[in-house]
């Protein structure tokens, strides 16, 4: 969905730990800026951002970022709008450190189909050095790259109501960065928000992490069995919301299994976001449970059949596998 008409925009340069004195103001050439922001790659990235909601104190609707965004959207006084964007600059600077470079914080205001609704987008563009040529004169200058340099953005839309601008979408092109401090300061630090993970995304992530942990523990059968026990517990307790962090801490015992799961998960904000487990989707993604027997036989079973047509019975001598079902096909293959 394209952006609505660009009504106003401000841009300020922000340095790590800067306290006031932000250089910038309102953007005058709105037509040129609108064309740049409406590049397909920019819009596609923004609209596919991760849903989020502001984190409020108990029984409070006060939030520095939300208040600034709503002032920019609905207060027609230019001085108030500039003060709101300077507040955003100060908050961003306080979250930046030596690992962050100077950036351009751009705030844009867009019309929506309803005259009472507005959309505000906060864009963060990185500092760069460019070579500018004019005839025979060549100079190295400072600049901020827009269309090729978008790293982070956040979009909020709604009306000027108590229930407005409570949620939005966050874009963070550094979310897979090894340095999780760099990857998460935008959403939880600067925006003061938490991710909303939908059931489908959360379920897919949980299954992916279990598979990754199982692969990392190849050869450690005891820890792999603990992962299987964790999977079973998660499926049996799908009636409550889970976070990735909760799964690791509550369903896996201390030791290699929990450590492998945590290592695969990392420390991004998505690990703290609650979601509802879709058991059918989870089973589809977990796929099969493989049993290796002492006699050299390997049995591969859909996970959902374990406990039904595939039974594992414990005894003093160890666990024994029992399986039954009609033969639907037979193949011969080499083990080499």
């Amino acid at each position: 969905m394209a952006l609505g008409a660009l009504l106003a925009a401000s841009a300020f340069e922000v340095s790590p730990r800067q306290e006031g004195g932000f250089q910038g103001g309102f953007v005058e050439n709105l037509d040129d800026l609108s064309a740049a922001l409406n590049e397909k790659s920019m819009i596609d990235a923004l609209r596919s951002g991760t849903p989020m909601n502001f984190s409020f104190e108990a029984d409070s609707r006060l939030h520095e970022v939300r208040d600034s965004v709503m002032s920019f959207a609905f207060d027609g006084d230019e001085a108030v709008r500039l003060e709101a964007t300077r507040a955003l600059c100060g908050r961003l600077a306080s979250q930046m450190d030596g690992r962050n470079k100077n950036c351009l914080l751009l705030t844009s205001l867009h019309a929506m189909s309803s005259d009472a609704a507005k959309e505000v987008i906060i864009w963060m563009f990185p500092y760069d050095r460019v070579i500018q040529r004019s005839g025979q004169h060549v100079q190295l200058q400072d600049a901020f790259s827009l269309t090729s340099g978008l790293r982070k953005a956040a979009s909020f839309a709604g009306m000027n109501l108590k229930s407005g601008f409570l949620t939005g979408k966050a874009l963070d092109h550094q979310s897979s960065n090894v340095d999780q401090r760099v990857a998460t300061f935008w959403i939880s630090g600067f925006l003061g928000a938490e991710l909303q993970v939908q059931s489908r995304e959360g379920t897919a992530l949980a299954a992916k992490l279990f598979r990754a942990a199982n692969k990392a523990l190849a050869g450690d059968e005891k820890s792999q069995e603990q992962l299987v026990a964790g999977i079973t517990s998660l499926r049996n307790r799908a009636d409550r919301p889970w976070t990735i962090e909760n799964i690791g801490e509550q369903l896996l015992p201390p030791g290699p299994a929990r450590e492998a799961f945590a290592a695969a998960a990392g420390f991004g904000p998505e690990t703290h976001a609650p979601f509802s487990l879709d058991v059918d989707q989870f089973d589809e993604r977990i796929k099969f449970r493989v049993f290796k027997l002492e006699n050299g036989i390997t049995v591969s079973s859909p996970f959902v059949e374990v406990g039904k047509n595939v039974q594992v019975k414990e005894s003093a001598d160890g666990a024994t596998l029992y399986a039954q079902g009609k033969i639907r096909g037979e193949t011969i293959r080499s083990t080499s």
Side-chain angles (χ1 to χ4, degrees), residues 125-147:
F125 297 99
Y127 162 88
D128 203 352
R129 304 299 296 275
V130 299
I131 295 177
Q132 188 175 64
R133 183 184 66 82
S134 178
Q136 300 298 317
H137 302 282
V138 178
Q139 291 182 328
L140 181 66
Q141 295 186 343
D142 297 343
F144 294 94
S145 176
L146 265 64
T147 56

Side-chain angles (χ1 to χ4, degrees), residues 80-131:
V80 173
R81 283 183 170 173
L82 286 179
E83 185 61 30
T85 51
R86 288 194 182 96
L88 293 175
C89 291
R91 184 178 176 95
L92 178 61
S94 69
Q95 295 296 321
M96 299 169 69
D97 58 26
R99 289 166 287 191
N100 303 109
K101 297 181 179 180
N102 289 14
C103 68
L104 184 74
L105 190 67
L106 174 69
T107 307
S108 60
L109 174 64
H110 303 267
M112 299 188 70
S113 56
S114 168
D115 292 339
K118 298 291 185 291
E119 180 179 22
V120 175
I121 306 174
I122 304 172
W123 315 77
M124 180 178 171
F125 297 99
Y127 162 88
D128 203 352
R129 304 299 296 275
V130 299
I131 295 177

